[in-house]
Amino acid sequence: MPDAASRLTTLLEQLLETPLPVRVRAWDGSEAGPPGTPTLVVRNRRALRRLLFKPGELGLARAWVAGDLTVEGDLYTALALMSGLIWERGEDARGLGALLRDPAARAAVRGLMKLAGPPLPPAPPPEEVRRPGHLHTRRTDRRAISHHYDVGNDFYGLVLGPSMVYSCAYWPAPEPDATLEQAQHDKLELISRKLALKPGQRLLDVGCGWGSMAIHAAREHGVSVVGVTLSQEQAVYARKRVADEGLTDKVEIRVQDYRDVTDGPYDAISSIGMAEHVGAARYLEYASDLHALLKPGGRLLNHQIGRRPQRDESAYHVDEFIDAYVFPDGELAPVGTTVTQLERAGFEVRDVESIREHYALTLRRWVANLEADWDRAVRLTSPGRARVWRLYMAASALAFERNRIGVNQVLAVKTPESGASGMPLRARTWGAPDA
């Protein structure tokens, strides 16, 4: 009888109608597939049952998070080789119904079921989120934020480094000698300059995280800052950092929904990596609320991940792995949609800057931090959670590199009726004397 790896490879290639681009090692120690490539290690038959009962990305994710499936060799190379099978098959890929109408495909599925053993669906890993849908109420948003951010400040410190900034850094060219901390400082400074922050102004930092933007703006530009977050753990950490910096008279950190902020007007608002949590149905409300909180002439800097537009936007669906394990209820929109919604809310959009490649560099640094201190990361969270983060960050780095997703800084102004926007004639001369 053929060994398990050969049987598995043959059946998968029959089902997928293409050769597997990576080597496979099965639970019996056998191997098959192209040499010199990363190895997909199928540690037990349970991995197959996960794939059979939940075909596609979610089944693979469950097997990975549970430790039933892993990769030996370079993870980025493995993901790049397998992306055509998992994420990039496109509209030409056969749906499950059409697939199972093919006698050869049905035979392959029967062979996989026999190889997988007793047909009992394994329970999802405990790290998986179960939620009622994309409601984006205050209650569901708090739960989603808690799932992602209340993992433990020590864990985030390990991954993010001393800057504690969980958004795309801004890298110089050439990049290799730059530190992550300097690149994050440069990003916060870029945002401060785009907002034209000056001593005595008030800044609202929506989704303030661990307080890095609030501290930077107060310390470097002399503004008073209110930072709001839905994460209790973030708020505790941020308040301690503010106290340690001697900035308690300048910075207030609140556990508060942005929809409940009523103490405007503010001179400027920063929203850095937060708007992905808002949801398409609530985005105009988000933009309108921020517009109402600004003084006439006030500026908004909206730093947000975006996706490529689809020919049929109604067919857009949230990535199953990200939704179940990383950002519950997170939704991405094309940058054009974001600009349109901001304009509908009354803003004048003055600058859009794509820094997509910068996020790929940032994610690779975060992955390196995680892998360099893997045992401690597991102790701080759980093996499953650490595996979630390694896969999500590595796959995201490739997605940014391949232009599947991007990140954009949109600068918008609450321009008064007079039309005096307060913007410099040359918008990209951020920080110039006449800016």
Side-chain angles (χ1 to χ4, degrees):
M1 177 178 291
D3 57 57
S6 296
R7 294 170 63 199
L8 178 57
T9 299
T10 298
L11 290 167
L12 287 174
E13 291 180 345
Q14 182 179 343
L15 184 64
L16 297 170
E17 300 181 310
T18 187
L20 287 184
V22 295
R23 195 160 179 82
V24 173
R25 182 186 305 142
W27 52 89
D28 64 351
S30 60
E31 294 190 17
T37 62
T39 301
L40 187 66
V41 182
V42 185
R43 288 178 166 168
N44 50 56
R45 297 172 188 267
R46 187 169 56 247
L48 291 187
R49 293 199 290 274
R50 292 189 186 279
L51 289 170
L52 287 166
F53 281 96
K54 199 67 177 179
E57 184 177 336
L58 187 56
L60 281 168
R62 286 175 172 175
W64 174 273
V65 175
D68 301 328
L69 194 68
T70 191
V71 167
E72 283 188 6
D74 185 71
L75 180 58
Y76 294 106
T77 301
L79 291 172
L81 289 170
M82 293 192 296
S83 63
L85 301 179
I86 305 170
W87 298 291
E88 298 172 4
R89 302 196 77 187
E91 296 178 3
D92 294 332
R94 293 186 297 174
L96 184 61
L99 190 70
L100 294 181
R101 286 195 292 272
D102 183 335
R106 288 201 305 271
V109 170
R110 286 195 298 270
L112 288 169
M113 292 182 68
K114 183 177 180 181
L115 189 60
L120 295 175
E127 291 81 7
E128 185 170 317
V129 175
R130 299 161 184 79
R131 79 279 180 285
H134 301 285
L135 303 178
H136 291 289
T137 64
R138 286 167 172 77
R139 182 178 180 183
T140 59
D141 283 352
R142 280 196 303 272
R143 286 180 178 175
I145 294 300
S146 178
H147 170 84
H148 188 73
Y149 293 103
D150 292 341
V151 177
N153 294 326
D154 290 341
F155 176 79
Y156 273 101
L158 182 154
V159 173
L160 304 180
S163 66
M164 290 299 283
V165 179
Y166 185 35
S167 55
C168 175
Y170 194 65
W171 298 91
E175 174 273 330
D177 294 331
T179 66
L180 176 61
E181 288 66 43
Q182 184 61 48
Q184 290 292 13
H185 173 277
D186 290 352
K187 187 268 300 296
L188 299 178
E189 182 59 20
L190 176 66
I191 291 171
S192 299
R193 294 201 310 270
K194 288 182 176 182
L195 291 173
L197 297 180
K198 298 178 179 65
Q201 290 184 330
R202 297 182 74 213
L203 168 69
L204 174 64
D205 187 27
V206 180
C208 67
W210 293 271
S212 298
M213 178 63 195
I215 290 170
H216 180 93
R219 184 183 59 214
E220 305 295 331
H221 297 274
V223 300
S224 297
V225 188
V226 171
V228 296
T229 176
L230 295 179
S231 167
Q232 292 283 350
E233 288 196 26
Q234 283 186 336
V236 169
Y237 189 97
R239 288 167 183 157
K240 184 178 186 306
R241 290 180 73 194
V242 169
D244 291 345
E245 290 276 350
L247 293 171
T248 52
D249 62 329
K250 287 283 190 182
V251 178
E252 178 188 0
I253 303 295
R254 304 174 184 168
V255 178
Q256 187 177 33
D257 193 294
Y258 74 91
R259 289 167 284 195
D260 296 327
V261 176
T262 59
D263 60 345
Y266 289 87
D267 297 283
I269 297 176
S270 53
S271 178
I272 309 170
M274 176 270 175
E276 298 89 341
H277 298 286
V278 171
R282 298 280 188 181
Y283 203 92
L284 182 58
E285 176 189 355
Y286 158 81
S288 299
D289 285 349
L290 299 191
H291 186 270
L293 285 167
L294 278 171
K295 292 179 179 178
R299 299 184 186 184
L300 165 70
L301 192 288
N302 191 78
H303 176 116
Q304 181 178 342
I305 297 171
R307 60 175 172 85
R308 303 292 299 169
Q310 297 185 346
R311 280 181 289 180
D312 177 10
E313 278 293 314
S314 66
Y316 167 68
H317 64 276
V318 179
D319 181 283
E320 286 186 301
F321 167 60
I322 297 294
D323 194 39
Y325 288 99
V326 185
F327 290 108
D329 289 351
E331 296 179 62
L332 301 183
V335 64
T337 301
T338 297
V339 168
T340 296
Q341 293 290 63
L342 290 171
E343 290 183 329
R344 287 182 65 197
F347 281 106
E348 179 187 8
V349 172
R350 296 298 303 246
D351 188 77
V352 179
E353 182 177 6
S354 172
I355 53 175
R356 171 175 63 83
E357 292 87 351
H358 293 254
Y359 218 155
L361 294 170
T362 305
L363 284 155
R364 283 180 176 266
R365 292 295 183 96
W366 289 344
V367 172
N369 287 345
L370 177 62
E371 291 179 341
D373 211 351
W374 180 259
D375 291 342
R376 180 167 174 258
V378 169
R379 291 196 303 270
L380 289 172
T381 53
S382 68
R385 180 77 72 176
R387 284 191 286 265
V388 166
W389 276 76
R390 183 173 178 236
L391 178 60
Y392 132 67
M393 292 192 299
S396 295
L398 291 176
F400 281 105
E401 289 168 357
R402 294 183 170 203
N403 193 28
R404 292 182 58 239
I405 53 178
V407 61
N408 306 283
Q409 288 190 353
V410 180
L411 178 63
V413 181
K414 184 176 180 177
T415 303
E417 291 185 5
S418 67
S421 68
M423 292 289 296
L425 289 178
R426 295 184 178 184
R428 289 292 174 89
T429 57
W430 310 118
D434 64 342

